[in-house]
Amino acid sequence: MSIRPGKDEYYLNIAREVCRRGTCLRRQYGAVIVNDDQIVSTGYAGAPRGVANCVDLGRCLREDLAVPAGQRYELCRSVHAEMNAVIHASRAQTLGATLYLAGIEVKTNQPTVNPEPCLLCRRVIINAGIKLVVVQPRGRDIAHLNPEDWITEENQAARQGLAAPATARVQVGGGQGGGS
């Protein structure tokens, strides 16, 4: 008899399956938004509707230019999984919800080392009213991230005259760390 997974493991497993639909050649991400123990939305990283995906083109501009992970997102064709999941739900469905996020490194088929949302996705999550983000970094236990902490970090950075918190790993002249 198999052991029944806990809720976090269950929804993270669904997010891992959703990420398999991703079209990024570097990392595939999947997000599942759950409210009152019901899935209200899913999303994966991929180009906007009607726009050619990297997987279809057979190339990634960021890869071609050797752009490090977490930088120069404006060169990426994809909309992040978290953003897509929020886009596909109403705010009434996301208020107080939990977002489960999973990522896979395409080249190795291994879970991502740090599947935390990037700065822009954090801001989308905050505005959607999502109260908890659940991730499982490679080789580590499931982690619970509180968007209220991100609000505090954003406000502290603003008081210091910074564009974003250092914890978001923003690079000067580039994008932010975490996501795709």
Side-chain angles (χ1 to χ4, degrees):
M1 181 172 189
S2 65
I3 297 173
R4 185 174 184 214
K7 296 282 175 113
D8 286 347
E9 185 179 0
Y10 171 70
Y11 290 121
L12 280 171
N13 283 337
I14 294 170
R16 287 182 190 102
E17 192 63 27
V18 170
C19 83
R20 295 182 56 211
R21 286 280 305 151
T23 61
C24 179
L25 295 171
R26 291 177 133 193
R27 281 168 210 82
Q28 295 177 323
Y29 274 88
V32 176
I33 298 175
V34 176
N35 204 342
D36 292 326
D37 207 23
Q38 180 177 358
I39 295 173
V40 296
S41 182
T42 66
Y44 56 85
R49 286 186 170 94
V51 175
N53 291 294
C54 292
V55 71
D56 298 324
L57 297 171
R59 66 186 295 245
C60 167
L61 181 59
R62 290 177 68 224
E63 193 78 16
D64 292 349
L65 297 173
V67 175
Q71 295 182 28
R72 304 294 313 272
Y73 282 133
E74 74 276 10
L75 299 176
C76 180
R77 303 183 70 73
S78 287
V79 175
H80 289 188
E82 306 95 316
M83 291 181 188
N84 273 323
V86 169
I87 289 167
H88 295 120
S90 70
R91 188 159 195 275
Q93 292 173 308
T94 61
L95 282 172
T98 299
L99 185 143
Y100 294 85
L101 180 64
I104 299 291
E105 299 287 342
V106 173
K107 289 181 182 173
T108 64
N109 204 33
Q110 293 290 311
T112 53
V113 173
N114 183 22
E116 291 186 20
C118 72
L119 177 64
L120 295 178
C121 287
R122 284 180 178 197
R123 290 173 175 171
V124 168
I125 289 165
I126 290 167
N127 269 7
I130 292 169
K131 292 298 177 197
L132 186 67
V133 176
V134 180
V135 297
Q136 185 170 21
R138 183 188 317 159
R140 299 202 323 254
D141 291 337
I142 291 172
H144 298 96
L145 310 174
N146 185 345
E148 289 289 328
D149 294 338
W150 301 337
I151 293 169
T152 300
E153 292 167 3
E154 287 268 6
N155 287 330
Q156 288 172 343
R159 283 191 290 276
Q160 296 170 3
L162 302 172
T167 56
R169 295 180 308 279
V170 174
Q171 308 264 331
V172 174
Q176 46 282 351
S180 304

